[in-house]
Amino acid sequence: MDSLIRGPFTIPSCLQCRTVGLSAITNVSDFVGHHVPVQVSNRRSWTSLKAFNFEKLEGYPMNHYVRSIGLKSASYQKHGMKYVVNATSGHPVESEPEAYNSKDIWESIKTALNVFYRFSRPHTVIGTAMSIISVSLLAVKSWSDFSSLFFIGLLEAVVAALFMNVYIVGLNQLFDIAIDKVNKPYLPLASGEYSVKMGATIVLSFAIMSFWLGYVVGSWPLFWALFISFLLGTAYSINDIPDIDGDRIFGIQSFSVRLGQKRVFWICIYLLEMAYVVAVFVGAASSFLWSKLLTVLGHVILASILWSRAKSLDLSSKAAITSFYMFIWKLFYVEYLLIPLVR
């Protein structure tokens, strides 16, 4: 059985070309001192490079390129092992890994972005952005209010709020790593894609950037809004229905654990439906006909869709519950679109 091993070795500057079989190597100085692939065989004997004095190979630097014309390999045998030297014609040995490394770097960048995307909990990012835009539009009275100053202020508020949002969701993950390994194993901290140190660094950095932007903007209402969000977010912790397995395992007495999953689910549905009823009455009280029609009709439709989805939900399926949870976030997004219409 022919056993092969490939690896690099260095041709020293003292290497002398003195025997037959090396006519294909045209420039020994170009061949000297460089790492080249080595193929080792246990079966075949040494023939062509014996005169090269390979006993003195150790400890020499690699400096030059290897060139070969017509000759693909040369061999050397020492202590019963055969070394077959492969040289690529006219190209530096280092040139091939560079192309590979550029592709590898791009893949690493895409992976890093994907991990951060999951860490930032994008559905909350979208909700935060839409809520800031929605509330800001409430202050608009006429088309003339849409000035460059308005859009700059809106952008500053959205970016600062998004930074704070990353702080809040990241902090929650830091404190729930063990529970998330059961409830949400796809999150970067629970999966091990982020270390605790990395997670803490990201969380602290985004909190600092949020406060810094609020300070630079010079808007005290924005700064205090960020500060209140910081306090509430720090004190915030999840015990929602999809987390019931982890809560039960770790002995966390959430509403879902104490009252039962089904009972808590319907309590939440009734509360949301009550909120829609209030929104309908607020819309009906508007002095503008267009506002009255849009807000009343919009909230009636949302309440009906919510009730229909809730009735058909399979509470024994965690995947179905998680899907319903994301559906609730979509209802929030639509609500943010309706809020500016309330006049």
Side-chain angles (χ1 to χ4, degrees), residues 137-141 282 285-288 290-291 339-343:
L137 289 175
L138 280 174
V140 174
K141 301 298 182 183
V282 171
S286 173
S287 56
F288 297 95
W290 62 268
S291 175
I339 285 177
L341 301 179
V342 178
R343 300 292 172 177

Side-chain angles (χ1 to χ4, degrees), residues 28-153:
V28 174
S29 63
D30 288 335
F31 189 73
V32 167
H34 197 76
H35 270 301
V36 293
V38 173
Q39 184 178 24
V40 182
S41 170
N42 289 329
R43 193 181 70 174
R44 305 179 64 186
S45 62
W46 151 246
T47 55
S48 57
L49 293 182
K50 186 176 180 181
F52 267 57
N53 192 14
F54 276 83
E55 300 294 337
K56 299 180 181 179
L57 285 179
E58 294 78 12
Y60 286 89
M62 56 178 186
N63 300 311
H64 303 286
Y65 297 141
V66 177
R67 294 180 182 173
S68 174
I69 302 177
L71 183 63
K72 295 288 185 178
S73 65
S75 55
Y76 155 64
Q77 181 172 355
K78 178 180 178 180
H79 304 303
M81 300 293 287
K82 176 185 172 186
Y83 297 78
V84 180
V85 182
N86 296 317
T88 302
S89 175
H91 296 284
V93 176
E94 291 91 340
S95 64
E96 291 182 7
E98 289 178 1
Y100 172 79
N101 287 338
S102 63
K103 182 179 179 182
D104 190 53
I105 289 172
W106 175 239
E107 290 298 324
S108 298
I109 292 173
K110 290 197 296 184
T111 300
L113 291 175
N114 177 266
V115 174
F116 181 76
Y117 176 80
R118 286 182 281 118
F119 180 79
S120 64
R121 308 291 277 149
H123 61 280
T124 65
V125 170
I126 296 172
T128 297
M130 292 190 68
S131 65
I132 297 296
I133 295 172
S134 178
V135 172
S136 299
L137 289 175
L138 280 174
V140 174
K141 301 298 182 183
S142 64
W143 288 106
S144 61
D145 292 332
F146 289 109
S147 63
S148 58
L149 187 63
F150 170 82
F151 287 108
I152 291 173

Side-chain angles (χ1 to χ4, degrees), residues 217-255:
V217 168
S219 170
W220 282 108
L222 174 60
F223 184 87
W224 284 112
L226 294 173
F227 183 72
I228 293 172
S229 298
F230 173 81
L231 293 179
L232 294 176
T234 303
Y236 169 78
S237 63
I238 296 179
N239 289 320
D240 55 357
I241 292 175
D243 284 343
I244 188 171
D245 293 336
D247 293 343
R248 186 179 292 116
I249 290 172
F250 286 89
I252 298 176
Q253 295 300 306
S254 63
F255 284 117

Side-chain angles (χ1 to χ4, degrees), residues 9 13 41 51 76 86 137 150 189-190 193 212 218 222 226 251-252 260 277 279-280 291-292 314 322 326 333:
F9 78 96
S13 58
S41 170
Y76 155 64
N86 296 317
L137 289 175
F150 170 82
L189 285 169
E193 292 169 287
W212 174 81
L222 174 60
L226 294 173
I252 298 176
V277 170
V280 167
S291 175
K292 183 179 300 187
D314 179 11
T322 302
M326 297 307 299
Y333 300 159

